[in-house]
Amino acid sequence: MTTTDNRNKDLAQPNIYWTQINHHLWQFYIAASSNGLCYVGSQGQPFAEMETWIHTRRSGSVLVEDKQKLEPYAEQLIQYLQGERQQFTIAHDFQGTSFQLQVWQALLQIPYGQTWSYSDIAQHIGRPAAVRAVGAAIGANPFLITIPCHRVIGKGGALTGYRGGLDMKTTLLDLEKELLPVGKTI
């Protein structure tokens, strides 16, 4: 196994590449570093949403529009929106606390078309008393859609907060419900 010394890379201003996805009624921004997808924006939000997020969480990064570089990510997102993809195989550039990373990995365990509560996630990661912290980690998820935080609901089944807004969350849940294979239910 080989390792790479990234200390000097961290001193440079890394590029963050971005593009806008426009597909039917969907319009949102995505961004990636050289290591993978690092941001999926909210439906219908302006460029400023992504720009603010990048400058806050990836300080010193330079935003560079590059549709071609983002094509693999856009392709899988569009396949998902068309009901042709249930899981993503693209690389993600995760940056967060160890707790956030643990929660985001747990989100990947929620099957397509199903929902878990915040309590379910807390139980899944072995921290049953950390429901509020789980909620905060989910709220910090930069990967709307690809790391499926839209599949997390309140304990009583109520739709709860979502960075993309409840309309986007409802639309994504409805899309998955409609496209479940015959005989499967949520």
Side-chain angles (χ1 to χ4, degrees):
M1 181 171 107
T2 61
T3 59
T4 305
D5 185 346
N6 289 323
R7 286 178 287 183
N8 291 333
K9 284 184 190 176
D10 292 339
L11 298 176
Q13 292 184 331
N15 288 339
I16 299 292
Y17 304 97
W18 67 272
T19 193
Q20 184 179 42
I21 292 181
N22 288 298
H23 178 73
H24 298 293
L25 299 176
W26 290 96
Q27 179 184 33
F28 55 91
Y29 291 92
I30 61 172
S33 70
S34 59
N35 296 320
L37 187 70
C38 64
Y39 177 83
V40 177
S42 304
Q43 163 68 1
Q45 291 300 304
F47 179 82
E49 178 196 48
M50 178 186 66
E51 185 177 39
T52 300
W53 187 91
I54 296 294
H55 290 305
T56 301
R57 291 174 180 84
R58 302 267 178 150
S59 180
S61 295
V62 177
L63 283 167
V64 177
E65 184 175 12
D66 192 331
K67 186 174 182 170
Q68 184 177 355
K69 208 176 264 295
L70 277 285
E71 187 60 33
Y73 308 107
E75 182 179 317
Q76 286 198 20
L77 281 157
I78 289 169
Q79 289 170 349
Y80 168 84
L81 295 171
Q82 292 174 331
E84 299 167 0
R85 173 175 293 279
Q86 293 183 3
Q87 294 182 321
F88 295 92
T89 58
I90 51 178
H92 288 83
D93 182 359
F94 292 99
Q95 287 194 4
T97 67
S98 59
F99 183 78
Q100 287 172 332
L101 297 175
Q102 189 177 24
V103 169
W104 299 343
Q105 289 297 321
L107 295 175
L108 291 169
Q109 304 305 308
I110 307 172
Y112 181 91
Q114 294 185 26
T115 57
W116 287 6
S117 70
Y118 294 92
S119 297
D120 293 334
I121 298 289
Q123 289 286 342
H124 185 79
I125 64 170
R127 306 273 305 267
V131 176
R132 285 185 188 264
V134 164
I138 290 171
N141 173 20
F143 310 101
L144 296 184
I145 303 174
T146 63
I147 305 297
C149 54
H150 61 275
R151 296 180 189 153
V152 180
I153 58 172
K155 191 172 186 174
L159 291 185
T160 55
Y162 182 66
R163 179 171 56 87
L166 290 182
D167 287 343
M168 182 177 179
K169 182 174 190 162
T170 300
T171 301
L172 293 170
L173 290 172
D174 289 346
L175 170 80
E176 291 185 9
K177 241 188 275 188
E178 290 171 19
L179 299 172
L180 275 174
V182 176
K184 283 200 151 187
T185 58
I186 302 181

